[in-house]
Amino acid sequence: MMTVASALLDSAAAAAAKAYAPYSHFQVGCALLTARGNLFTGCNVENASYGLTICAERNTIFHAVAEEGPGMKIAQLAVIALGHEFPPCGGCRQVIAEFAGAETPIWFLRDGKPVSMTMAELLPASFRI
Ligand code: THU
């Protein structure tokens, strides 16, 4: 059965294949489902001035906001890297938290299997204003 999580991870993997990562060779993809039911994907895009690189997660979230507007809410999000396994980086966790709830599931692979952590587990005591 095709679950939302496996569909999101598949979409993230397809996005990872489009990464522009000539410096790190880390091809990362992200897929998110919004509360309105739209799917957005994105990849990391690196730059010769390394600090200008954008992670797959932020690229995807910023695109989703550009399409849906400031009310965009993340229902579920998945991140995948080709040949590597990791949850979103710390900076992206803060950006995800801006558009997610405490219970929003964040999917990634661990030992080849989908696992999810809630936003509150990934970023306890997040900065809020
Ligand atoms: N990267 C992401 O796209 N997302 C993460 O959560 C971790 C890191 C990218 C940034 C850079 O292009 C490459 O992976 C290596 O850090």
Side-chain angles (χ1 to χ4, degrees):
M1 195 184 71
M2 179 66 113
T3 63
V4 172
S6 62
L8 284 177
L9 285 160
D10 284 353
S11 297
K18 297 181 181 165
Y20 178 75
Y23 306 107
S24 76
H25 305 292
F26 261 62
Q27 296 169 275
V28 188
C30 176
L32 69 84
L33 184 68
T34 69
R36 289 189 204 162
N38 294 319
L39 173 73
F40 293 98
T41 62
C43 58
N44 56 327
V45 179
E46 299 188 343
N47 190 270
S49 180
Y50 296 167
L52 298 180
T53 291
I54 187 158
C55 290
E57 299 92 318
R58 282 176 293 143
N59 201 5
T60 306
I61 290 166
F62 296 162
H63 180 213
V65 172
E67 290 291 329
E68 286 198 1
M72 193 281 294
K73 292 282 174 231
I74 299 168
Q76 300 195 43
L77 180 147
V79 62
I80 233 171
L82 303 186
H84 303 273
E85 295 185 342
F86 50 77
C89 77
C92 286
R93 293 180 196 198
Q94 184 71 48
V95 174
I96 298 166
E98 188 85 18
F99 300 99
E103 300 307 317
T104 303
I106 310 299
W107 294 93
F108 51 97
L109 293 182
R110 191 178 278 161
D111 299 325
K113 300 209 168 54
V115 293
S116 76
M117 292 177 70
T118 67
M119 198 57 239
E121 288 171 333
L122 276 176
L123 191 65
S126 67
F127 175 70
R128 297 262 174 198
I129 54 173

